Amino acid sequence: ILSLLKPNLVRGSVSVQNQQEPKPMNELPNNELPNNEHLLELAKRDQELSDASGQEVVGLPYGALMRDVSVHADERGYLFEVFDEEWGWHPEPLTRVYVSTILPGIGKGWNLHKEHEDRYTVLQGEMSVAMYDGREDSPTFGGCFYVLLSERRRRSLTMPIGVWHCDYNLSEKEVIFINCPTGRYGNKSPDKYRLPLYTDKIPYKLPPGLSGY
């Protein structure tokens, strides 16, 4: 009697006797098995990672620039340059610099500038930058773009005039970054225009759960 009451143990779980197991995939008739022709119609191919010269291909709104930052490290620590006119990277001179931070789970945006560009370089952490090009005269009008700026791979990014952008932090560490804007914020007449984080006016789907403005 005790043996009849004892459950069957299957890989650490209790199973019911005479329970029907699902039919394994390899026992299905050939005409019911998924084939590559069908699966490839559903699949999305990876985008090009580099061009013929070996340069990384990154989707950016028209006028945006991105530059890898060289890091010089030794047994004492490391050093990297943020801006040098000799690079010829950006036509506008360096006139002002400020440091900003973003706490975990916070988004700053959506923002737009009419009179100046932002120029970002991350010092610590990882900052996600979402962009939407609403400029009707732009070749990338209507496009949505995304760039990750990280301490693991240091890069500088410019934000063109007229491009909506949202900077947010999905990591568990505070983001610290430098901005070298090409013009003043303007306390009396600020050159900053805002839309809510989760506005339906911009066709970019931000990750859920962010707070901020």
Side-chain angles (χ1 to χ4, degrees), residues 22-37:
K23 200 168 186 179
M25 203 71 140
N26 58 9
E27 292 184 12
L28 290 173
N30 284 346
N31 62 352
E32 294 184 22
L33 290 170
N35 58 61
N36 276 353
E37 183 179 357

Side-chain angles (χ1 to χ4, degrees), residues 102-205:
I102 305 178
L103 296 173
I106 297 296
K108 292 186 175 182
W110 292 88
N111 300 317
L112 177 143
H113 308 299
K114 289 185 177 181
E115 299 174 6
H116 77 269
E117 297 188 18
D118 286 332
R119 296 181 285 199
Y120 295 151
T121 305
V122 164
L123 301 180
Q124 171 186 292
E126 293 187 340
M127 181 170 76
S128 298
V129 183
M131 295 163 277
Y132 171 70
D133 190 352
R135 302 168 296 176
E136 290 185 318
D137 59 346
S138 167
T140 55
F141 170 62
C144 295
F145 307 89
Y146 170 85
V147 168
L148 179 67
L149 300 179
S150 171
E151 64 183 12
R152 298 175 185 272
R153 181 186 176 186
R154 300 197 182 277
R155 298 187 287 185
S156 295
L157 172 70
T158 68
M159 191 62 56
I161 291 172
V163 171
W164 291 96
H165 53 286
C166 177
D167 312 324
Y168 57 97
N169 180 3
L170 293 179
S171 70
E172 297 179 355
K173 182 165 66 173
E174 182 178 20
V175 171
I176 303 175
F177 66 98
I178 285 177
N179 189 9
C180 307
T182 60
R184 294 184 180 279
Y185 169 74
N187 292 326
K188 292 184 178 180
S189 181
D191 181 29
K192 179 171 283 191
Y193 302 83
R194 301 179 187 268
L195 284 172
L197 273 177
Y198 292 104
T199 178
D200 59 0
K201 304 301 181 184
I202 291 180
Y204 187 104
K205 188 175 181 180

